[in-house]
Amino acid sequence: MPGKTYIDAAGDAPDSQIGASLDVLAGTIHARSAAGEESYTYRLLNGPLDTLVKKLMEEAGEVALAAKEADMLDAYSNSDALYDAALDHLRYEAGDVIYHLLVILERYGIPTDELAAEMNSRMTDDEISIHPGMVRLQPEHVNRGK
């Protein structure tokens, strides 16, 4: 794998890194639903919804700010190190958004397979046809922002 990623010497990479990562994280979040008050995830799952929603919104804002910082450094800085650090920060904040989003989905019983089907349902038939085995939502469950 190129760039900043690596595979532990003991394992083979799954076909989809993001799919495998989301599934494992979703499983961990699900398991924490019974962990008790000492678990941050438990408190998000079982506490006031506003706490979780505010946290997701905060993290999304941090992604936006990190993207703006990276854009500014790309345009105006001659320092590859600063730009690279900004990209690392953007990736970190994006991870926080995904974690908090998965907590919200768990709170409402929406599995990652349904999230994947939602994303796949936004593809054209041509795009789906070149990726056999991809699932989509059944038509009665497709909601285009209505």
Side-chain angles (χ1 to χ4, degrees):
M1 283 188 192
K4 299 178 181 182
T5 61
Y6 72 97
I7 300 169
D8 188 303
D12 293 323
D15 290 338
S16 168
Q17 288 293 310
I18 192 67
S21 296
L22 291 176
D23 284 344
V24 169
L25 179 56
T28 299
I29 290 167
H30 179 75
R32 300 269 168 82
S33 65
E37 286 292 327
E38 68 279 359
S39 166
Y40 174 66
T41 302
Y42 173 89
R43 292 191 309 274
L44 290 175
L45 287 168
N46 296 289
L49 177 61
D50 281 356
T51 301
L52 177 52
V53 170
K54 287 175 185 176
K55 192 62 180 170
L56 178 61
M57 291 174 64
E58 172 193 327
E59 297 300 346
E62 290 177 7
V63 166
L65 292 173
K68 293 292 286 181
E69 177 186 25
D71 189 60
M72 182 198 63
L73 288 169
D74 185 38
Y76 300 110
S77 173
N78 292 326
S79 172
D80 289 341
L82 285 176
Y83 179 68
D84 190 56
L87 295 180
D88 289 347
H89 181 229
L90 175 57
R91 183 185 61 247
Y92 175 85
E93 297 298 348
D96 281 350
V97 168
I98 291 169
Y99 162 77
H100 287 92
L101 176 61
L102 288 177
V103 172
I104 285 180
L105 295 177
E106 173 66 27
R107 185 172 175 135
Y108 290 98
I110 300 171
T112 54
D113 285 346
E114 282 185 22
L115 176 60
E118 174 66 43
M119 300 311 297
N120 296 344
S121 292
R122 297 169 185 216
M123 294 182 189
T124 65
D125 289 336
D126 288 341
E127 290 169 324
I128 289 288
S129 71
I130 60 174
H131 300 284
M134 293 182 80
V135 297
R136 290 191 262 185
L137 291 174
Q138 295 186 27
E140 65 269 20
H141 296 287
V142 174
N143 179 348
R144 294 292 173 243
K146 298 175 185 168

